Amino acid sequence: MVLGYRWSLSENYALGVETGYSRLGNFGSSILESVTFAFLGTPRAVPQGSSWKLRTRAMSLGASMKWSVSGPWTLMAHAGGIRSHATVDEGYVFMFLSRSRHLTTDRNGIYAGASFGYDITPQLTAALTADVYRVKFENGFVAGMHTNYIRVLGGSLEYRF
């Protein structure tokens, strides 16, 4: 969800500010399998592998630009800063040993995006959007900060008062 205000610079151009909140999705992978080996002459199946999950949210503050290209067609661009909250859950299992971690990271980052829209009415625009968010998070087993670029393709409806 994004809220903003745009000032008209001319008949075809407008410049504005925006703020918003985005749920940037859940990502993860899991490689868990059973391995069979003989223990005291009896075959035993034991688990081994790893799992990883990242959940990210972001609050944004930035600038936006709208250009009325031709008739009802518009191009829009926006960019700014974000404050992201990333949660990482990791697990590793090998035979009878297991290890897991839960980490949260709050960091500053940036975002940028563009959209191509159509003015349905003078107050309503429908658009196709493409955004990129740069999110940093701490990984538990591989120590240090990691940077993830989250790309979002979608649609938007803009209502103007």
Side-chain angles (χ1 to χ4, degrees), residues 16 33 37 49 79 87-88 96 111 152:
E33 56 187 41
F37 71 98
T87 303
V88 177
F96 303 108
Y111 76 98
V152 180

Side-chain angles (χ1 to χ4, degrees), residues 58-113:
M59 293 177 51
S60 62
L61 179 63
S64 66
M65 176 78 176
K66 182 176 181 181
W67 174 36
S68 297
V69 180
S70 174
W73 298 101
T74 62
L75 289 175
M76 292 171 274
H78 63 160
I82 62 169
R83 180 69 175 174
S84 66
H85 177 79
T87 303
V88 177
D89 290 306
E90 297 173 298
Y92 181 76
V93 176
F94 180 70
M95 302 197 53
F96 303 108
L97 305 171
S98 67
R99 185 175 167 194
S100 64
R101 278 189 100 158
H102 174 81
L103 297 166
T104 59
T105 307
D106 294 306
R107 290 284 186 262
N108 294 328
I110 57 173
Y111 76 98

Side-chain angles (χ1 to χ4, degrees), residues 37-51:
F37 71 98
F39 180 72
L40 299 176
T42 306
R44 303 274 184 200
V46 295
Q48 79 172 20
S50 62
S51 63

